[in-house]
């Protein structure tokens, strides 16, 4: 199975690139942000629970996120591969993902990290906020908190995969198609 983690700070372009990757490689997309927003729009209990964290740009507790991903993996048990987008966001989530995939006897083959400077991220998120309807994209303080949470809690996940020799960094600034070609070059080595 082709299991990939697409990594990067908020606004790095993970969603955009995921769409292109799933189409080319026929993968199942697991975006925890998208899943939470779906729960929110459907008014589920999980959505209500997640909302207070999301609106402030804080992380939803690990056990909630891991349970949701576990369910999603089990729902797609005939899939030929998964792309994880916005997950794992903490080392505890990365460890849990390894355990979940061990049950299926199929590992993560690699993490691809999109590298984008902080100033560019803030500009992109504020721009997205004009049309996305996402409250967490519309306020510079919330955006700054998300970047801070990323640096404090999520960046160590890159070291986790680096320690397993599964980490590749790619420049996330430039043409979408050019970034995509660079991602494919990495995936084709898996
Ligand atoms: P972005 O990467 O643009 O910040 P996402 O759509 O990935 O946005 O996530 C939006 C929000 O959903 C996060 O700020 C967080 O509150 C919550 N969230 C998404 N994925 C996770 C995760 N793996 N762990 C904890 N919280 C998460």
């Amino acid at each position: 199975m082709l299991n990939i983690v697409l990594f990067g700070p908020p606004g790095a372009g993970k969603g955009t690139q995921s769409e292109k990757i799933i189409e080319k490689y026929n993968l199942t997309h697991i975006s925890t942000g998208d899943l939470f927003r779906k729960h929110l729009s459907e008014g589920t209990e999980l959505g209500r629970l997640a909302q207070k964290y999301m609106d402030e740009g804080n992380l939803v507790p690990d056990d909630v996120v891991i349970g949701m991903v576990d369910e999603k993996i089990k729902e797609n048990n005939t899939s030929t591969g998964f792309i994880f987008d916005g997950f794992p966001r903490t080392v505890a989530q990365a460890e849990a993902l390894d355990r979940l995939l061990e049950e299926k006897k199929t590992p993560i083959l690699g993490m691809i990290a999109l590298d984008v400077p902080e100033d560019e991220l803030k500009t992109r998120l504020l721009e997205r906020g004009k049309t996305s309807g996402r409250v967490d994209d519309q306020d510079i303080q919330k955006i700054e908190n998300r970047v801070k949470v990323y640096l404090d809690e999520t960046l160590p996940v890159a070291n986790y995969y680096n320690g397993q020799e599964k980490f590749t960094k790619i420049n996330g600034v430039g043409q979408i198609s050019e970034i995509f070609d660079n991602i494919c070059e990495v995936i084709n080595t898996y």
Side-chain angles (χ1 to χ4, degrees), residues 10 14 32-33 37 54 58 60 86 89 93 128 134 146:
K14 301 186 293 292
T32 44
R37 278 185 290 276
M54 294 176 74
N58 292 319
V60 177
R89 248 176 165 93
Q93 291 179 18
R128 184 169 79 184
R134 283 177 55 171
R146 280 155 71 201

Side-chain angles (χ1 to χ4, degrees), residues 13-80:
K14 301 186 293 292
T16 305
Q17 295 296 336
S18 287
E19 290 306 323
K20 296 172 78 71
I21 298 167
I22 56 172
E23 196 185 321
K24 175 164 171 146
Y25 295 95
N26 192 25
L27 303 178
T28 302
H29 188 198
I30 299 192
S31 159
T32 44
D34 286 353
L35 289 171
F36 283 131
R37 278 185 290 276
K38 186 158 183 286
H39 275 282
L40 218 85
S41 71
E42 289 170 355
T44 69
E45 199 181 320
L46 181 62
R48 278 195 295 278
L49 192 153
Q51 182 167 27
K52 59 177 187 284
Y53 299 99
M54 294 176 74
D55 283 356
E56 294 306 317
N58 292 319
L59 294 184
V60 177
D62 284 337
D63 54 341
V64 177
V65 186
I66 292 163
M68 184 175 72
V69 171
D70 183 19
E71 191 183 51
K72 210 68 206 165
I73 291 176
K74 293 196 166 115
E75 254 173 50
N76 290 280
N77 66 342
T78 57
S79 177
T80 53

